[in-house]
Amino acid sequence: MGEKPEQPAQKIVPYLAYKGAPAAIGNIDDVHAHFTTARDAGTVIASEPEDQFYGDRRYRALDLEGHHWVFSTRVREIAPDQWEIPGSES
């Protein structure tokens, strides 16, 4: 048998509490490509890819049992003291 091809870097953290519902969080290489594939396959999209104040771009989806999945990609490094948190006073 041949060697298995190298899989893209992914980190899935299953069933963390996310807004009161079980959730899984996945850090993936290309969140936009992942989103496009998921959407085109008929996945229920809870939120489209959007940049976050802490440097990730993420989107949310629901599985068939109603669990939330959050997929993200780091798009820029931002030190915590430079975060501009929405709704907080500067």
Side-chain angles (χ1 to χ4, degrees):
M1 288 188 173
E3 291 183 33
K4 283 185 168 182
E6 188 174 322
Q7 297 294 315
Q10 297 186 56
K11 182 179 179 184
I12 304 293
V13 182
Y15 297 106
L16 297 175
Y18 183 77
K19 294 189 178 181
I25 300 172
N27 295 310
I28 55 180
D29 289 334
D30 185 343
V31 77
H32 186 73
H34 192 276
F35 163 77
T36 300
T37 300
R39 182 197 60 208
D40 292 351
T43 300
V44 175
I45 303 299
S47 66
E48 295 195 6
E50 183 175 36
D51 289 350
Q52 303 299 308
F53 66 88
Y54 47 84
D56 285 3
R57 178 173 295 127
R58 74 169 192 196
Y59 82 94
R60 294 185 305 114
L62 299 172
D63 68 18
L64 296 175
E65 296 177 353
H67 299 117
H68 292 261
W69 288 79
V70 180
F71 296 98
S72 64
T73 298
R74 179 60 45 108
V75 292
R76 64 188 180 284
E77 294 295 326
I78 303 174
D81 64 339
Q82 298 297 310
W83 290 355
E84 294 182 17
I85 301 171
S88 67
E89 293 182 30
S90 299

